[in-house]
Amino acid sequence: MSKRLAALALVLAFLVTACGGGTSTPAPAASAAPAAPAASAAPAAPAATATVAAAPKATCQATGVKIAVPVTPPNVVHLPPYVAQELGYFKEENLTVELVRFEGGVGALRAMAAGGVDLAGTSTEPVITAIAQGVEVKIVQTYSPGLSQVFAVRDTIKTAADLKGKKIGIQEPGGFADALSRALLKKNGIDAKDVTFVTTTTAARVQQLVAGAVDTGILHVDQVLTVQKTAPTIKVLANMWEVLPDYQYAVYAVPAAKATSATTECMVRALMRAARAMYDPAQRAKIVAMAVRETKLEQPIVEAAYATLEKAKAWPQNEGVPQKNVNGTVASLLEAKQIDKSVTFAQAVDLTVANRVVAQLGKKDFPY
């Protein structure tokens, strides 16, 4: 472990609580720091999404496109579209890109489905829910496949049983924090009717947890580090990657009719290059400077969050959408009764373009 990661482990150690939830989601021991989520090897892609052997490169005519980004301001995990803009990857594809900012993934997806944007970055739950309701959209790639978030609580909550009667902080109904909170409640035998869901803004999520406006929050790594500075009594009840080990965190989605279009290919190629750049030491200083500007966070917090996410392999280097993750997300939404019928991988995902781009750029020795 590098000195930076060792120091970060000590910084994060304050959040560990010995109090656990049900047997299915035990909290980490008080003496151990929350480990970075492990990146497991993805199973081989099904034949329908196999890597394209011959991969001619689509060339886009100079055009303007709009890409929805789901969190304002972004967390460090959300950076790839900003990196593609900062490093000129969109420009190299003849694309003039406007990054349209939303409060959450639900709004981003709705804008795309309505034709207001060309591609939406979003958590996976709104996409699966939309497809279950008959909306014709497709997942074509991702900015972060697996979970790297924690379920944080105020010090009045010692075990999962204490969540009854509490205020559960969510970003938006049907969105990421809502789905993950419901999954944790379900796995601990707590009915959603026994809690109160309270909508918070992304920017104020940490402040509202600290102030007691809510009792819980799904926090990103950089938010955990921010909490450490302002309210050391906030604790981690569960690491969400342990609660939901097979779960697709985020996706890029487009209208189904445009899933294999030249414009989609140009956008995906720029975004995949950006995700790969997150691991490039030569780009680190430029990306960190941009991240400080966009996230509004202090540079040490950005650097620490970046190091943790890099170690966790948070950003994909290839197609980024393992079938087991999508299936796990569908199963979790069914279990929580957030969708009333199943959605298959083929119904949700079209990796034709992503696999073509991987063949063009060269496949990386990476889990996804």
Side-chain angles (χ1 to χ4, degrees):
M1 180 181 291
S2 69
K3 291 182 179 179
R4 173 184 288 181
L5 289 174
L8 179 58
L10 292 175
V11 170
L12 289 176
F14 84 97
L15 276 171
V16 183
T17 175
C19 57
T23 56
S24 60
T25 57
S31 59
S40 58
T49 60
T51 301
V52 179
K57 180 179 177 180
T59 301
C60 287
Q61 299 298 317
T63 187
V65 298
K66 294 182 179 182
I67 294 178
V69 289
V71 175
T72 306
N75 298 106
V76 175
V77 74
H78 301 122
L79 288 178
Y82 298 87
V83 171
Q85 190 85 297
E86 187 79 9
L87 299 185
Y89 297 153
F90 288 133
K91 186 177 181 180
E92 291 174 17
E93 298 289 346
N94 289 325
L95 300 177
T96 301
V97 172
E98 178 185 355
L99 298 180
V100 184
R101 301 171 188 238
F102 289 86
E103 184 61 33
V106 173
L109 182 69
R110 285 174 178 164
M112 185 272 292
V117 299
D118 300 280
L119 176 147
T122 173
S123 61
T124 309
E125 306 84 16
V127 181
I128 298 300
T129 300
I131 293 169
Q133 295 172 350
V135 180
E136 294 186 353
V137 298
K138 287 287 187 181
I139 294 166
V140 293
Q141 218 245 341
T142 182
Y143 56 87
S144 187
L147 295 174
S148 58
Q149 296 78 17
V150 301
F151 190 86
V153 297
R154 291 177 58 79
D155 58 3
T156 55
I157 298 171
K158 306 301 182 185
T159 71
D162 296 332
L163 292 170
K164 289 184 178 180
K166 296 299 192 294
K167 295 171 289 187
I168 308 298
I170 63 171
Q171 192 170 335
E172 55 199 343
F176 176 65
D178 185 20
L180 264 61
S181 297
R182 289 175 186 273
L184 184 135
L185 293 170
K186 181 74 174 179
K187 288 181 180 292
N188 285 279
I190 299 172
D191 196 307
K193 295 176 182 177
D194 292 332
V195 302
T196 301
F197 291 94
V198 178
T199 301
T200 69
T201 64
T202 301
R205 186 183 304 174
V206 171
Q207 294 92 323
Q208 288 175 297
L209 178 61
V210 172
V214 297
D215 298 303
T216 75
I218 298 291
L219 300 188
H220 292 275
V221 171
D222 36 0
Q223 292 170 325
V224 170
L225 293 165
T226 300
V227 165
Q228 189 270 338
K229 294 185 66 176
T230 58
T233 58
I234 301 298
K235 304 296 182 182
V236 168
L237 189 67
N239 298 317
M240 293 310 301
W241 61 88
E242 295 172 353
V243 178
L244 297 167
D246 296 332
Y247 197 92
Q248 184 73 21
Y249 162 42
V251 296
Y252 295 124
V254 300
K258 298 182 179 179
T260 60
S261 72
T263 301
T264 297
E265 180 178 326
C266 292
M267 289 189 290
V268 167
R269 187 163 45 244
L271 291 165
M272 191 178 297
R273 290 178 65 196
R276 292 182 175 193
M278 300 301 294
Y279 300 95
D280 184 355
Q283 301 292 355
R284 181 62 52 89
K286 186 178 291 186
I287 292 174
V288 167
M290 179 274 296
V292 170
R293 182 183 74 234
E294 295 293 345
T295 64
K296 317 300 184 190
L297 295 171
E298 297 173 3
Q299 184 165 330
I301 289 178
V302 167
E303 290 177 337
Y306 197 144
T308 296
L309 292 167
E310 181 182 34
K311 181 183 179 184
K313 296 183 170 67
W315 301 286
Q317 294 199 48
N318 299 309
E319 74 291 333
V321 188
Q323 183 169 348
K324 68 181 180 68
N325 284 12
V326 174
N327 291 346
T329 304
V330 172
S332 180
L333 293 173
L334 282 168
E335 186 177 18
K337 294 182 170 53
Q338 291 187 275
I339 56 176
D340 57 12
K341 65 178 180 180
S342 188
V343 173
T344 68
F345 184 78
Q347 287 174 313
V349 181
D350 188 336
L351 295 180
T352 302
V353 161
N355 283 319
R356 183 182 299 135
V357 171
V358 169
Q360 293 162 1
L361 300 180
K363 190 172 181 66
K364 292 284 188 178
D365 182 15
F366 206 75
Y368 28 72

